[in-house]
């Protein structure tokens, strides 16, 4: 099987109609392989969130194909799209959105329990992820008792809980100071390597983007290589 876990071909996405139409993506192509971390750097309004939403099956293109682990998604029913998204995509946001009443461990076990895993297996997987991300000693703490960087690493563990093949992140370090950003990015990178996921990370942080395997940007509706 191909290792292209994420593949966009000829993707078109516009908002509105007629004179006020905004063409965000126009015949856009992108391939991300297993174990590859691609940084997405583009000015505000260029279409980063739109691209991530399309990759994460949260939005549909008006034309073109989005393939996740070989599954073409353009003709799927809403139900099948949702199923595929749950099984294959992990999403990390700028703000962690952890559940405040639950411990770090519980925040990472919850999506697994919802997916039908046994509590013992879910705990084991959660501890493994918290360990990869360097926050295992904080497993019993609630989000409010964690630093910003620790909260974000727990959020990354939660996004990875059900073994997503594709990890998408929208400014995952946007809310953190430079040293903490560095730590969180390193943790994310080691997770992607260990798990062999394909990752697309939107970031304004050029120092971090330079450490990705590749950098892409959005120009005239296309996803194109970029250098910083
Ligand atoms: P970025 O994440 O790079 O800041 P976005 O993907 O959020 O960019 O937006 C790209 C362009 O599409 C912007 O011009 C934005 O105003 C427009 N846009 C995004 N979502 C919508 C929407 N739901 N309706 C209308 N226009 C939108």
């Amino acid at each position: 099987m191909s290792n292209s876990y994420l593949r966009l071909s000829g993707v078109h996405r516009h908002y509105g109609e007629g004179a006020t139409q905004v063409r965000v993506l126009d015949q856009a192509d992108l391939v991300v392989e297993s174990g590859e971390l691609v940084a997405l750097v583009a000015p505000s309004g260029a279409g980063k969130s739109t691209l991530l939403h399309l990759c994460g099956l949260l939005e549909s293109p008006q034309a073109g194909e989005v393939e996740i682990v070989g599954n073409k998604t353009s003709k799927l029913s809403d139900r099948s799209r949702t199923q595929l998204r749950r099984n294959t995509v992990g999403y990390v946001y700028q703000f962690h959105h952890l559940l405040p009443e639950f411990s770090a461990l519980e925040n990472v076990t919850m999506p697994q329990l919802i997916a039908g895993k046994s509590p013992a297996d879910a705990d084991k997987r959660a501890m493994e992820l918290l360990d990869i991300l360097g926050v295992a000693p904080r497993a019993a703490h609630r989000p409010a008792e964690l630093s910003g960087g620790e909260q974000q690493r727990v959020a990354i563990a939660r996004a990875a809980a059900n073994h997503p093949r594709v990890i998408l992140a929208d400014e995952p370090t946007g809310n953190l100071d430079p040293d903490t950003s560095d730590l969180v990015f390193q943790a994310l990178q080691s997770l992607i390597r260990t798990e062999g996921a394909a990752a697309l990370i939107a970031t304004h942080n050029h120092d971090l983007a330079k450490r990705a395997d590749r950098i892409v940007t959005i120009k005239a509706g296309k996803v194109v290589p970029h250098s910083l």
Side-chain angles (χ1 to χ4, degrees):
M1 200 185 91
S2 156
N3 283 327
S4 306
Y5 281 176
L6 176 63
R7 181 184 292 270
L8 271 62
S9 334
V11 161
H12 188 89
R13 185 75 175 105
H14 65 251
Y15 295 106
E17 295 299 333
T20 58
Q21 191 184 80
V22 184
R23 283 183 171 216
V24 184
L25 295 172
D26 189 3
Q27 286 290 325
D29 301 319
L30 172 70
V31 176
V32 187
E33 308 279 333
S34 165
E36 194 181 25
L37 193 161
V38 177
L40 171 61
V41 176
S44 188
K48 298 181 297 297
S49 302
T50 302
L51 181 63
L52 288 168
H53 289 165
L54 289 166
C55 293
L57 309 182
L58 295 165
E59 279 183 50
S60 299
Q62 278 104 357
E65 188 61 80
V66 177
E67 269 176 76
I68 310 264
V69 203
N71 295 284
K72 291 190 163 63
T73 61
S74 61
K75 297 192 177 66
L76 290 181
S77 64
D78 283 352
R79 193 189 153 91
S80 305
R81 284 172 71 80
T82 303
Q83 194 77 23
L84 185 64
R85 182 172 67 236
R86 282 205 190 124
N87 292 336
T88 57
V89 178
Y91 223 103
V92 182
Y93 298 90
Q94 180 174 353
F95 299 99
H96 60 77
H97 301 301
L98 294 170
L99 297 169
E101 299 302 317
F102 295 90
S103 69
L105 184 80
E106 288 165 336
N107 268 281
V108 185
T109 55
M110 204 161 306
Q112 303 178 70
L113 298 176
I114 292 166
K117 231 188 218 173
S118 75
D121 287 349
D123 272 5
K124 185 160 172 277
R125 169 71 176 157
M127 280 313 293
E128 173 187 304
L129 284 167
L130 293 175
D131 193 40
I132 293 172
L133 292 160
V135 280
R138 296 283 174 272
H141 294 251
R142 288 184 184 185
E145 299 162 348
L146 303 175
S147 71
E150 287 167 346
Q151 289 169 348
Q152 197 56 325
R153 282 180 282 160
V154 174
I156 293 169
R158 180 187 52 184
N162 288 325
H163 299 276
R165 302 291 75 199
V166 174
I167 293 181
L168 304 168
D170 202 347
E171 297 286 352
T173 65
N175 195 31
L176 305 172
D177 64 66
D179 284 350
T180 308
S181 296
D182 212 60
L183 198 69
V184 169
F185 191 83
Q186 270 177 37
L188 182 56
Q189 206 159 22
S190 93
L191 174 81
I192 288 153
R193 302 265 183 272
T194 311
E195 302 263 306
L200 182 63
I201 316 289
T203 179
H204 282 303
N205 186 325
H206 290 190
D207 290 334
L208 296 186
K210 282 180 192 162
R211 290 177 13 209
D213 298 307
R214 272 189 300 135
I215 307 171
V216 296
T217 191
I218 301 169
K219 270 215 178 86
K222 310 265 190 289
V223 181
V224 294
H226 190 57
S227 52
L228 292 170

